[in-house]
């Protein structure tokens, strides 16, 4: 302003040459450029936020405004906010489910792609759960409202995305602390710059120009944007793929994980049983066994019975009408067909009506060892055979575990299921380290133990996993899990696809890399720009930074930071082609684990009670090479399974002798 008045004075005095010279010290264009570049940076920042909020708005648009409830036998249209738990609402074909509920009548095909990413519609029938925001493609459904208003699954998801977009990551808080110190420091440098040049004999205009240049070129906003923009972009990129980060710290910390612990049932497996093996008695056709079994189990609501019925329906096996159906809790069921009695259930129950050959029972040992559940069947006094049911492993489990190993992460399985079942899942998925027969508090204790070795992630779906999820550095819940598990977790995998686990790690690492790049260039820019603006190089090279150039550089620094963060929108977290650099570390860890702990499985006959398993464990523990022993028994066959962990090689003969000294017969050692 002083320079402007000086120009007017020179013109009034007739000193036009001096007035023209002073025009070079006017910086109106600098102010315009500053505003222009700041506006560009803010526009790109808003665009980055918009990419995240677009996913949020898409979720909000899924919630309908009205619902149709049944009152006195009539359909009544009400605002969705007025639906109360227990109200009966209807969902016609093509309509959006208004609230979370349970189907009381009807059969429908539900499009869940908007929330889970699954392209194949889910078939729903009476007794199954439907969730707000999903579309009923076909079928007329009558449902009882369970979760309404802010408690619906859709509302919770919206809150998760909102929280992830607004919270700050730990590294972002560090940038804030630096910015808090940075601003007053730059002001001091600016004043000091003007004072030094005045002391050195420069004009007031030159000194003030250097001071203004320092203020203009310094860019605390680049530091402030470095982390938040990357966090918002990463959260939005995850949300679009069905990966929901509840907190910004979860996005940052997930990539630092060294250990990932999996629950078994509902996480590594689909969570409900399916028919896996059919073993017929001599002279019995497989079709006859399945037909009789499915006819009998059609009258039962037990999950295992449903597995048999589902298999028969899929294979178009003949299902006969059953009369006089009777259930014997804990033992089995019976029913009549064509004057004959069909019996099904545990081995002891079938033995009361039919003869079961001993060699047939021994033939089943390998399947029992895998933790599969047997169902024995007989027609009158004729033994028909056995069907095995087990929880199906998720198709992506093995590949997901392999990708985690390639990322340098140690996968572990924690389960409350039997040692045999856990061992089978371990072999199928490639998880070398597992712990079976755990209570919820024991899972939590193991997570604490793992945390001593590095940042630990827990992945689960049930209420029994909640203590471990809460204890872990990062808790990850499957989208189909219980409400408690979802509440305790910091990351939710909406698609229930285990390939999202390594994808989450890659996305987190990519976001953290971009945050570090942004912080580096923000610091580098200020470290180079401020000395240049202050005129440090003027005495040597004659370099003077024009404030307009400083304004451009300041604006471009913010633009570069935002553009770098926006690269996350194009990052493919499912690309595993660059994971190989971590393989060597993981392989060495597995080799060390294998060298230290060698396992053997021993099958023992006539193990009739828990005292027998205790005696077998005690006998094996006496061997100095034995690190750990877990002995279990199958109540239906009285076949015991002893899992032995050895510190070094031991002959089978020595193990066999230790058990046979206790008057038990060893069937096999593997």
């Amino acid at each position: 302003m002083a320079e402007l008045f000086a120009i007017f004075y020179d013109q009034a005095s007739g000193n036009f040459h001096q007035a023209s010279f002073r025009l070079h010290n006017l910086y109106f264009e600098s102010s315009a450029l500053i505003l222009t570049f700041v506006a560009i940076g803010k526009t790109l920042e808003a665009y980055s936020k918009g990419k995240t909020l677009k996913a949020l708005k898409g979720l909000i648009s899924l919630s309908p405004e009205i619902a149709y409830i049944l009152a006195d036998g009539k359909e009544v249209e009400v605002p969705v906010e007025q639906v109360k738990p227990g109200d009966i609402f209807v969902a016609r074909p093509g309509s959006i489910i208004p609230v979370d509920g349970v189907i009381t009548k009807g059969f429908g095909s539900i499009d869940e792609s908007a929330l889970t990413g699954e392209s194949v519609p889910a078939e729903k029938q009476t007794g199954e759960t439907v969730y707000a925001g999903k579309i009923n493609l076909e079928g007329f459904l009558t449902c009882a409202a369970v979760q309404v208003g802010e408690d619906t699954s859709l509302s919770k998801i919206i809150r998760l995305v909102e929280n992830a977009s607004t919270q700050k990551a730990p590294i972002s808080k560090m940038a804030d602390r630096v910015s808090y110190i940075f601003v007053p420091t730059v002001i001091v440098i600016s004043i000091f710059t003007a004072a030094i040049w005045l002391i050195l004999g420069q004009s007031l205009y030159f000194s003030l120009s250097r001071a203004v240049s320092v203020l203009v070129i310094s860019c605390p906003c680049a530091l402030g944007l470095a982390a938040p923009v990357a966090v918002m972009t990463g959260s939005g990129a995850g949300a679009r793929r069905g990966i929901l980060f509840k907190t910004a710290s979860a996005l940052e910390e997930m990539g630092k994980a060294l250990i990932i612990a999996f629950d078994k049932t509902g996480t590594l497996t689909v969570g409900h049983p399916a028919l896996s093996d059919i073993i017929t008695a001599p002279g019995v056709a497989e079709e006859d066994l399945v037909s009789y079994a499915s006819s009998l189990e059609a009258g039962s609501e037990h999950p295992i019975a449903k597995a048999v019925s589902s298999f028969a329906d899929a294979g178009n096996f003949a299902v006969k009408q059953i009369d006089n159906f009777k259930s014997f809790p804990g033992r089995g069921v019976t029913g009549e067909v064509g004057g004959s009695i069909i019996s099904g259930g545990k081995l002891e129950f079938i033995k009361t009506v039919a003869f079961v050959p001993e060699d047939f029972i021994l033939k089943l040992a390998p399947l029992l060892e895998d933790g599969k559940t047997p169902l024995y069947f007989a027609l009158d006094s004729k033994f028909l055979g056995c069907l095995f049911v087990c929880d199906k492993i998720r198709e992506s489990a093995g590949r997901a575990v392999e990708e985690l190993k390639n990322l340098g992460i140690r996968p572990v399985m924690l389960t409350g299921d039997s040692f045999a079942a856990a061992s089978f899942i371990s072999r199928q998925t490639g998880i070398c380290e597992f712990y079976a027969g755990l209570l919820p508090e024991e899972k939590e204790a193991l997570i604490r133990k793992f945390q001593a070795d590095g940042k630990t992630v827990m992945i689960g779906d049930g209420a029994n996993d909640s203590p471990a999820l809460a204890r872990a550095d990062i808790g990850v819940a499957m989208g189909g899990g219980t409400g408690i598990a979802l509440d305790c977790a910091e990351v939710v995998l909406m698609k229930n696809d285990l390939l999202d686990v390594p994808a989450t790690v890659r996305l987190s690492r990519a976001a953290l890399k971009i945050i570090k790049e942004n912080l580096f260039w923000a610091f580098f820019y200020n470290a180079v720009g401020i000395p240049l603006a202050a005129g440090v190089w003027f005495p040597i090279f004659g370099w003077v930074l024009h404030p307009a150039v400083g304004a451009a550089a300041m604006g471009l620094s913010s633009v570069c930071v935002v553009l770098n963060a926006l690269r996350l929108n194009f990052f493919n977290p499912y690309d595993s082609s660059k994971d190989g650099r971590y393989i060597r570390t993981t392989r060495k860890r597995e080799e060390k684990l294998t060298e230290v702990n060698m396992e053997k499985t021993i099958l023992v006959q006539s193990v009739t009670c828990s005292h027998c398993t205790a005696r077998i464990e005690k006998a094996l523990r006496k061997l100095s090479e034995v690190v750990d022993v877990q002995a279990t028994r199958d109540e239906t066959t009285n076949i015991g399974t002893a899992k032995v962990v050895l510190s070094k090689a031991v002959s089978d003969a020595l193990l066999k002798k230790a058990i046979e000294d206790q008057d038990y017969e060893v069937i096999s050692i593997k």
Side-chain angles (χ1 to χ4, degrees), residues 188-221:
V188 171
I189 292 174
S190 176
I191 296 172
F192 185 73
T193 297
I196 289 295
W197 285 119
L198 287 172
I199 293 172
L200 293 177
Q202 292 292 338
S203 67
L204 176 63
Y205 300 113
F206 180 89
S207 302
L208 288 178
S209 294
R210 303 287 69 75
V212 171
S213 295
V214 169
L215 292 175
V216 169
I217 201 170
S218 62
C219 190
C221 50

Side-chain angles (χ1 to χ4, degrees), residues 365-404:
L367 296 173
L368 295 172
E369 181 187 341
D370 290 339
K372 297 180 180 180
T373 301
L375 286 174
Y376 301 86
F377 293 92
L379 181 64
D380 291 329
S381 60
K382 180 183 179 181
F383 178 60
L384 297 177
C386 180
L387 301 180
F388 278 89
V389 174
C390 69
D391 196 356
K392 184 180 179 182
I393 299 174
R394 291 189 188 275
E395 293 182 1
S396 58
R399 181 180 168 191
V401 169
E402 184 65 23
E403 289 187 6
L404 287 175

Side-chain angles (χ1 to χ4, degrees), residues 22 40 42 55 67 74 107 154 308 375 394 444 536 623 646:
R22 290 183 185 278
I40 292 173
K42 291 296 183 180
K74 297 181 180 180
F107 179 89
L154 179 60
V308 176
L375 286 174
R394 291 189 188 275
E444 188 268 345
V536 170
L623 300 176
L646 304 168

Side-chain angles (χ1 to χ4, degrees), residues 103-252:
I103 300 174
T104 58
K105 185 179 179 181
F107 179 89
S109 182
I110 308 297
D111 180 5
E112 301 180 336
S113 59
L115 295 183
T116 67
E118 291 294 336
S119 58
V120 179
E123 304 296 332
K124 299 284 186 176
Q125 57 188 345
T126 302
E128 294 189 292
T129 303
V130 292
Y131 297 99
K134 298 180 180 180
I135 303 172
N136 180 25
L137 296 179
E138 60 181 359
F140 186 89
L141 299 176
T142 302
C143 311
V146 177
Q147 301 287 350
V148 300
E150 295 297 319
D151 295 326
T152 65
S153 56
L154 179 60
S155 297
K156 291 177 181 178
I157 291 170
I158 292 171
R159 288 200 298 272
L160 295 187
V161 178
E162 287 176 334
N163 291 338
S165 300
T166 56
Q167 292 185 350
K168 293 184 178 181
I171 197 169
S172 176
K173 295 176 182 178
M174 183 270 289
D176 287 347
R177 289 194 295 269
V178 172
S179 298
Y180 181 77
I181 300 172
F182 179 83
V183 173
T185 301
V186 169
I187 293 174
V188 171
I189 292 174
S190 176
I191 296 172
F192 185 73
T193 297
I196 289 295
W197 285 119
L198 287 172
I199 293 172
L200 293 177
Q202 292 292 338
S203 67
L204 176 63
Y205 300 113
F206 180 89
S207 302
L208 288 178
S209 294
R210 303 287 69 75
V212 171
S213 295
V214 169
L215 292 175
V216 169
I217 201 170
S218 62
C219 190
C221 50
L223 289 171
L225 289 174
V229 176
V231 168
M232 287 185 292
T233 307
S235 297
R240 290 192 298 274
R241 293 172 172 85
I243 302 171
L244 301 184
F245 295 96
K246 285 187 179 182
T247 63
S249 62
L251 174 61
E252 178 185 332

Side-chain angles (χ1 to χ4, degrees), residues 343-638:
S343 303
K346 292 185 176 180
L347 180 59
E348 291 86 350
F349 180 68
I350 297 301
K351 281 184 174 180
T352 62
V353 297
F355 172 73
V356 182
E358 194 67 25
D359 59 342
F360 181 89
I361 297 175
L362 293 176
K363 186 170 66 174
L364 304 180
L367 296 173
L368 295 172
E369 181 187 341
D370 290 339
K372 297 180 180 180
T373 301
L375 286 174
Y376 301 86
F377 293 92
L379 181 64
D380 291 329
S381 60
K382 180 183 179 181
F383 178 60
L384 297 177
C386 180
L387 301 180
F388 278 89
V389 174
C390 69
D391 196 356
K392 184 180 179 182
I393 299 174
R394 291 189 188 275
E395 293 182 1
S396 58
R399 181 180 168 191
V401 169
E402 184 65 23
E403 289 187 6
L404 287 175
K405 291 178 181 179
N406 293 343
L407 286 166
I409 294 173
R410 166 184 161 198
V412 181
M413 178 171 60
L414 309 180
T415 177
D417 209 339
S418 68
F419 195 96
S423 179
F424 174 71
I425 299 296
S426 170
R427 293 194 299 272
Q428 297 297 311
T429 59
I431 297 179
C432 299
E433 185 178 356
F434 66 89
Y435 301 83
L438 300 175
L439 296 173
E441 57 268 26
E442 292 173 328
K443 288 185 179 181
E444 188 268 345
L446 279 169
I447 293 295
R448 278 191 279 115
K449 178 183 176 182
F450 295 150
Q451 286 173 321
D453 297 329
K455 198 166 291 292
T456 302
V457 173
M458 174 67 191
I459 304 178
D461 75 310
N464 63 321
D465 300 319
S466 55
L469 289 169
R471 169 61 62 180
D473 295 299
I474 300 293
V476 179
M478 305 299 285
T482 63
I484 296 177
L486 294 172
D487 288 341
C488 292
E490 296 170 270
V491 181
V492 181
L493 308 181
M494 292 303 301
K495 294 187 293 183
N496 290 314
D497 186 352
L498 289 176
L499 287 178
D500 284 344
V501 178
T504 302
V505 174
R506 294 189 196 99
L507 181 60
S508 173
R509 289 179 179 178
L512 189 60
K513 179 183 177 182
I514 284 179
I515 290 173
K516 290 179 178 179
E517 288 174 353
N518 284 349
L519 289 174
F520 170 79
W521 288 114
F523 279 113
F524 179 80
Y525 159 82
N526 285 289
V528 172
I530 290 176
L532 179 62
V536 170
W537 307 113
F538 176 71
I540 303 174
F541 303 107
W543 292 349
V544 177
L545 185 70
H546 194 283
V549 177
M554 183 273 292
L556 286 173
S557 67
S558 297
V559 170
C560 291
V561 164
V562 174
L563 287 176
N564 191 40
L566 289 175
R567 290 193 300 121
L568 277 173
N569 286 317
F570 307 99
F571 176 73
N572 180 12
Y574 299 98
D575 182 7
S576 60
S577 60
K578 298 179 181 179
D579 296 345
R581 57 190 172 185
Y582 301 101
I583 295 178
R584 184 177 300 174
T585 303
T586 309
R587 292 290 182 267
K588 286 182 177 179
R589 187 184 297 124
E590 286 189 358
E591 289 170 4
K592 183 178 179 181
L593 184 65
T594 304
E595 289 173 3
V596 175
N597 296 331
M598 294 178 290
E599 294 184 359
K600 289 197 175 185
T601 303
I602 308 172
L603 297 183
V604 185
Q605 199 168 0
S606 302
V607 180
T608 58
C609 63
S610 59
H611 296 291
C612 296
T613 57
R615 288 179 60 189
I616 292 172
E617 286 186 359
K618 184 177 180 180
L620 291 170
R621 289 184 191 278
K622 289 181 179 180
L623 300 176
S624 59
E625 298 86 357
V626 174
V627 176
D628 190 23
V629 181
Q630 285 195 22
T632 58
R633 75 182 187 93
D634 187 282
E635 296 179 359
T636 61
T637 63
N638 287 333

